[in-house]
Amino acid sequence: MRKKIAMIIVVVTMVVGVALRFTGLDKSPPSLGFDEAALGYNAYSLLLTGKDEYGNFLPISLRSFNDFKPALYGYLTVPFIKLFGLNESAVRMVSALAGIVSLWFLYKLLSVFIKDKLVCSLIFLWLSFEPWRLHFSRNAFETHLSSAFFMMGAYYLIKNKKIFWSLLFFGLSAYSYHSARLSVPALIILWGIDPLRWFWTKNVSEVITSTLKGIKKMWWMVALFVAMVIPVFMANSSLVLTRFNQENVFKRFYPYAPKELVEGNNPFLSINSNALYYFGGIMSGHIMSYFSPINLNSRIYAWVKMSPQFIPGMGMLGWIEGIVFVFGLIVVIKNLRKSFLHRYLIYWMISGIAPAAVTWTWYHPLRSLNIFPAIEIIVALGAVEIIRLVKNKLWYGVIAAVMFVTVVYTINNELLYSAYENHGEYQPGGFREGMMELKELSKDYDQVIIDSPHAQSFIFVLFYQQIDPNIVHKYADIRPKPGIEGNLNFNFEKFVFRPIDWPKDRLLKNTIVWTDDTMSKEEIESIPGAKLRMVVPNALYDTARIITIE
Amino acid sequence: MISLFNYPPTEEQIWILMKTGTGSEIGLLWLRILTILLMGIVFWFWFNKLRTVASVKSSVISIILLVMSPAVWGIGWSYPLMVVKLVLVLCVVTFLKTKWWIILLVLVGLGFYNVSFLKQNPAILSKITMSDARNEVNNRFMSEDTLRIKMELPLMWRRIGYNKLFITYRQVLAELLPFFDLETLYFQEVHPMEQKSVVLFYWPEIFILIFGIYFWVTSKLKNDSNNILVVLLVISFIDFLFSNTVLYQRFILLLIPLSLLMAYGVEKILVANRYVGAVVGVVLLYATYVNSYDISKRADFWLDNRPLVYQYWYTGIKPLGVENFEKIYVSTLIGSSQNYCWFYLGDICKTDKFVFNSFNLSTGNIDNGLYAGFAGEFVGPKFKNDFSSDWDSQLPAKDLTLISKENIRDTVAYKYGNDIGLVIKK
């Protein structure tokens, strides 16, 4: 009976999960971010020409905004664009699917740790509504696809069966996002060698023997994985590391000690404020930040808030989960000695944190997404412990009621409130609403000037007007070179991306202007030959004007 | 150069000195010495209590870890009322049995002490009244209803998630989650948000804590030892919830159980391998040295800047001669000007020569006198707090003469700038 109920709960959870991930992908979030638009347009270009937006044939990395995104997400989006056209839903479909697969594997992983099927299914139901799961499933994120593959690989690794499946999914993970290229070998090595055991091993020879056994167990996996990802590095070896060069912690914080205390030419030789001491603090802090409950639950750092990974009002986990996580950690620590499964969770965390820890940001969910399933399992272990301690069954009813309301809140927060809060730089809006009008009008005009305050506005033009990729390829050589960051707009065909200078530009002829909404209709039409053709709305306000100048 | 040892008094210290009528540097020094001695005596009692529930080694290490903490010194040197709180809690735990009703009394007492003596207004109390919840519920509905493109969810469904009761629960959780803040506890030296707080524990100690937790959960410790630990964790948690002050002071009671856990870890490391234990000791000593050096060079980075402002003003006024001015105007933007005046200048501050109030010399008539204030009070406040370094060049136009100015590190009076000064109008 318990098993039947458990199965019903699991099925219901999966069905609701599908509904939450696939419904209204074009409405919530109501607009694309520029990374999403870039993924979509590159997929479109691959579909039509087999090349990315720069004309690179079947690339392993998408040069995109000179950030060299791993290309797998783009390739997997191709069939959806073929089926549904180039739009928001098609672009986000891969992430939604990854979310569903990831959900299923969450259940499978929980089953490894929690033997009681009913308890396992109830905890699965609870964790399936974690804010990060909903949020990342509804936005096109390569890292989300990567983390789903990573989770699948980690599952087969922990089962120690179907190792080739594990390697396959790990490989796919590495082709989906950069961080897996470090996380995967780290996890395999830790899994094979199991270094935490050394603390309880009596003598050095035993340590050496077991280490050698571990190396024998896993060396070929690491070698095979490296062989799988060699093409990534061979394709654009220095450029692929561009992202690392841009974001690494080593340069950014040098000389690591507070600048007011730095003495002499070599901060590493200072006695009073040694750089190594402070560097150790920074790296330790980076690692431990992912174990800090306040970061998991509620603290929002500035670099998170100003990005698509921001979940308003919530952290990656629901509010109570951070506290339950502490209980779960204690359970894990308690069982470290006798249980490889529990040590594996720590290895999973460490390997997932490693790529994020070497970047300058203190806590960065997007770069460390691989660890969140492990965190959820630790939360689950904490929940099991609490259930064991709670004797009065009346509390179960209270807990269930609170959890239900929390789930409703989380769903509302993601589907509605998040759309309101996140509307801005990263999800500017307006382009979808205005681009078709602009496309129609531009047939009769010689020049289209786009004056948009939003970064990378060119990609929205490419996306929403479905510009022929063959045209875009011709401009590859004049586009900003790799290494250049910031605004990467470039002029193509009749499109010019620059700020409007009305004293001069009012004299232009046969021109369309896309500009912000600061000028009133009267002011516009006071310019000789100018006519306001459209007030472009986004989900919250009027964001732009389309003006023609005859 | 400002260091911890010659740091100006805090408002708490001024208040005590006023009550005892000993307003002078000597009086302050005695107060500090007495406070440190009081803390030392309590630690001694605590050590003796600890010996009954844990090993001597753990007890000694726990006290050493506490004594090494800059937060303990910071509080001992500047916040006597916080030390009194520490004293009261440790006395109860040391001398009384840890019965549930005694713990409850302690918790109620802590809340009362924080609110009445320390004049703190815990944020959690406003959450429990649900007024914030009502505002948030309204805000959520209004925000979502303004969306032109959105998914349609039934109103009843939205109301299940957005209601005062649940939002209150959420807001209360938001108040207690900061208790679980590893960054403030162990990484204040390299904090990513550069928040204002003294170091509680040095970052290498996080690894000792992990060891300590491991040995705590896997060892069969005496019941008494476990009880003390749990009781202290609960007390520190409740104190955190019902306090509202500088972050490191909210955590001060948590230092005690954490030091005990870390002591277990260090003891086990020493037993397992003396040499590793020695390395741990050396690292911690070096951490203590580095932080001591840091505080000696940048005391204003770690400590409250407001006492520095008052010190600057009143030590600047004194050599000018109070009797040379008809009126002396001192800003009250950052709190109890009058008390600080009394500390530095004596009873003359109680006469009507002194006017304690904030002012704005950028508009209206300016009375003759000496003005001690912020840049924004001399040239007008700025919404973005962006004052140029030559703001004082505007003063001659109003017949004002700058005597001196100084820049302080922290923004303690937003919109009024980080420069403070003494200005005369003749």
Side-chain angles (χ1 to χ4, degrees), chain B residues 131-146:
Chain B
S131 58
D132 287 349
R134 181 174 43 242
N135 291 338
E136 184 169 337
V137 168
N138 289 340
N139 180 48
R140 286 228 159 207
F141 275 107
M142 269 170 34
S143 304
E144 291 173 8
D145 289 343
T146 58

Side-chain angles (χ1 to χ4, degrees), chain A residues 145-327:
Chain A
L145 175 67
S146 177
S147 98
F149 284 135
F150 187 90
M151 190 182 183
M152 292 152 74
Y155 169 74
Y156 286 109
L157 195 65
I158 201 175
K159 294 288 275 178
N160 211 6
K161 295 178 193 174
K162 302 180 183 174
I163 291 293
F164 282 106
W165 281 108
S166 177
L167 280 172
L168 173 66
F169 290 126
F170 279 148
L172 290 172
S173 178
Y175 277 87
S176 303
Y177 194 65
H178 313 280
S179 59
R181 296 164 196 173
L182 178 55
S183 297
V184 167
L187 181 60
I188 294 174
I189 289 169
L190 290 170
W191 166 85
I193 295 178
D194 193 7
L196 280 175
R197 265 181 325 162
W198 298 345
F199 287 104
W200 299 284
T201 309
K202 293 268 187 258
N203 54 57
V204 177
S205 60
E206 245 182 272
V207 169
I208 294 172
T209 312
S210 68
T211 304
L212 288 171
K213 266 190 193 164
I215 292 173
K216 194 174 160 186
K217 181 174 152 191
M218 61 79 184
W219 74 266
W220 64 273
M221 295 170 67
V222 175
L224 200 55
F225 175 77
V226 169
M228 282 163 77
V229 296
I230 274 179
V232 174
F233 294 101
M234 297 270 297
N236 285 300
S237 54
S238 60
L239 299 174
V240 164
L241 289 172
T242 294
R243 197 81 184 120
F244 180 72
N245 289 335
Q246 290 166 347
E247 301 287 314
N248 76 79
V249 69
F250 305 103
K251 275 192 221 169
R252 197 128 173 174
F253 290 124
Y254 185 82
Y256 312 121
K259 291 192 169 52
E260 291 157 287
L261 304 180
V262 173
E263 304 159 332
N265 293 327
N266 191 339
F268 288 96
L269 296 179
S270 166
I271 293 177
N272 296 325
S273 56
N274 192 279
L276 195 60
Y277 176 80
Y278 285 97
F279 182 73
I282 291 169
M283 291 306 294
S284 302
H286 277 205
I287 294 167
M288 297 308 298
S289 69
Y290 295 94
F291 293 89
S292 183
I294 191 176
N295 292 339
L296 298 175
N297 271 124
S298 59
R299 176 184 279 151
I300 307 293
Y301 292 97
W303 52 85
V304 172
K305 186 152 192 285
M306 309 302 290
S307 77
Q309 61 188 310
F310 174 52
I311 306 172
M314 307 188 89
M316 296 287 278
L317 303 182
W319 308 297
I320 204 79
E321 280 83 322
I323 301 170
V324 179
F325 176 72
V326 174
F327 281 90

Side-chain angles (χ1 to χ4, degrees), chain A residues 469-489:
Chain A
N470 288 303
I471 295 172
V472 179
H473 296 162
K474 288 190 289 190
Y475 293 87
D477 288 337
I478 66 149
R479 294 180 66 173
K481 296 284 178 264
I484 295 174
E485 296 175 45
N487 193 354
L488 301 177
N489 282 338

